Amino acid sequence: IRPGGATMAVTLNAGFRMPSWFDLRTLAIGGPEDVEGIKAATKNAHELIRGEIASGIASNRIMIGGFSQGGALALYAALTFPEPLAGIMALSCWLPLYDTFPAAKLCPDTVSLLQCHGDCDPVVPYKFGAMSSGVLKNMLKTSQFKSYRGMSHSSSDEELADMKKFVEEHVPRQ
């Protein structure tokens, strides 16, 4: 399933309407976050996961991931989902509502994480990814943070290869 955010006014984008999972008020560390919007988007993600489970897919064969704001949502949604997922792929993103963790964490410690970030990202600064990784490594047994030299707010063949390998290693075969 490839869901997308609704079109909404985004504060960080001067209030212009754009596809977004939740409002972005700032990209400053410790700045105000759209708590209600993040939790509403998380509820939708959890409903999608539960729908897949109801259709017969075991939770440990479901992987959630995203890029930028979608990666932030994937992190928060997976960490607050109580059943074991195959893993999380978080690309060029940050951990939203980081100050609510580890108390907000419901997922088992065995959920695997692949976090990827370009070291030249001008949109979501590399330090946000690195700081989030520090928090996440204390919550999950298998947490990888991969850096990509010279990569901006985008993807690369190397990152895609790392993602493919992560899926192959963490989604059980039937």
Side-chain angles (χ1 to χ4, degrees):
I1 296 175
R2 187 184 177 277
T7 299
M8 64 177 67
V10 176
T11 303
L12 194 62
N13 195 26
F16 288 105
R17 296 179 61 79
M18 61 185 281
S20 189
W21 290 108
F22 48 86
D23 189 22
L24 290 170
R25 297 182 177 149
T26 181
L27 283 180
I29 295 172
E33 292 184 273
D34 179 11
V35 176
E36 289 179 18
I38 292 166
K39 290 189 175 183
T42 297
K43 181 180 175 197
N44 290 338
H46 287 175
E47 288 171 1
L48 288 170
I49 295 167
R50 284 192 190 95
E52 294 300 302
I53 294 169
S55 75
I57 299 173
S59 67
N60 73 338
R61 291 190 42 79
I62 297 171
M63 188 169 283
I64 185 171
F67 175 80
S68 193
Q69 187 186 44
L73 174 60
L75 275 173
Y76 190 84
L79 291 171
T80 58
F81 192 77
E83 296 182 50
L85 299 175
I88 311 162
M89 286 192 288
L91 314 173
S92 301
C93 66
W94 69 98
L95 176 61
L97 307 179
Y98 70 91
D99 56 350
T100 65
F101 291 98
K105 180 181 164 284
L106 299 176
C107 74
D109 296 345
T110 55
V111 173
S112 299
L113 168 66
L114 172 63
Q115 189 181 357
C116 304
H117 216 112
D119 67 357
C120 292
D121 190 333
V123 178
V124 178
Y126 178 81
K127 69 179 178 179
F128 287 17
M131 289 172 67
S132 294
S133 175
V135 172
L136 295 161
K137 284 182 186 293
N138 291 323
M139 290 192 287
L140 301 170
K141 290 180 180 175
T142 308
S143 177
Q144 302 174 56
F145 182 75
K146 294 204 171 247
S147 302
Y148 301 90
R149 186 171 179 185
M151 190 171 83
S152 63
H153 197 64
S154 61
S155 190
S156 69
D157 289 342
E158 182 183 2
E159 182 183 52
L160 293 172
D162 288 338
M163 292 166 61
K164 180 178 186 271
K165 181 179 176 190
F166 184 75
V167 170
E168 290 169 345
E169 290 175 352
H170 297 283
V171 176
R173 297 195 186 278
Q174 286 185 302

